[in-house]
Amino acid sequence: MPVGRRALSALVGLLVLAGCGDRVSGVAITAPPPAPWDPCSLTDDILSGAMLNPMTENSTPIIDRHGEKSCGWTGLDVGVIMSTLPTARMAQLRGGDNIDFREVTVAGRSGVTYRDEGDRRGVFCHLAVPFASGGIMLMQVARSPFGQDQTTPMCVWAVRVAEVLVAGMPR
């Protein structure tokens, strides 16, 4: 019976280790990160409320790395590309050609707007909001050349549109 006791003892030891859940043989076991939120899941009502046409949806990823998700729509005055960047941090946005950072509050959440230094005509604005679980939502808003409103600054448009879109995304 000594062999049986050893086998039983080893089995009990494995069960105890398995019951711990986060360590086996000294190696940490981590759960896979949650799937990033998909901006294409915004409802037609939300998109219409943001002055975007749901029928113009384009889900072709601009950059497809690290599980990023992107979706875009157009409206009469602006077009929007909304991306979920699950591994990005707000601090990464600063620097390079990004300029004119302004802290904003959209749908009760803190975020920033900024522009690209190369956008001399002022037809783009970027807006970023962090997720509580990590990562950020990054939105690019572009002026439509056919829009009736050619005078409202693009970052004003970005906040206006984001008020509705950000309210429809998870915290």
Side-chain angles (χ1 to χ4, degrees):
M1 280 265 186
V3 172
R5 277 189 183 181
R6 256 189 236 168
L8 182 59
S9 178
L11 180 59
V12 169
L14 284 174
L15 289 174
V16 168
L17 283 175
C20 293
D22 62 351
R23 291 203 173 269
V24 174
S25 299
V27 176
I29 298 174
T30 57
W37 173 72
D38 186 353
C40 291
S41 67
L42 288 169
T43 67
D44 290 355
D45 288 342
I46 290 172
L47 295 169
S48 296
M51 300 169 283
L52 299 170
N53 181 348
M55 300 301 291
T56 63
E57 181 175 299
N58 182 350
S59 61
T60 304
I62 295 170
I63 300 171
D64 188 13
R65 60 177 186 244
H66 310 294
E68 297 171 5
K69 302 276 185 185
S70 295
C71 207
W73 309 269
T74 58
L76 291 177
D77 290 303
V78 297
V80 173
I81 298 172
M82 195 173 193
S83 300
T84 302
L85 311 172
T87 60
R89 302 293 171 252
M90 296 292 280
Q92 291 174 296
L93 301 173
R94 296 197 182 269
D97 292 338
N98 298 339
I99 60 170
D100 295 339
F101 281 84
R102 296 218 166 49
E103 293 191 20
V104 296
T105 301
V106 290
R109 296 168 73 164
S110 295
V112 297
T113 60
Y114 64 94
R115 296 182 328 97
D116 185 294
E117 187 175 37
D119 179 24
R120 304 257 186 252
R121 297 180 330 174
V123 296
F124 295 100
C125 182
H126 303 274
L127 185 140
V129 174
F131 288 103
S133 60
I136 61 174
M137 179 285 297
L138 181 61
M139 193 170 81
Q140 176 180 299
V141 181
R143 186 180 311 279
S144 169
F146 308 109
Q148 294 182 10
D149 180 349
Q150 295 292 317
T151 59
T152 301
M154 286 315 300
C155 287
V156 171
W157 266 113
V159 170
R160 187 181 294 167
V161 171
E163 279 292 336
V164 179
L165 298 181
V166 170
M169 59 184 240
R171 292 225 165 244

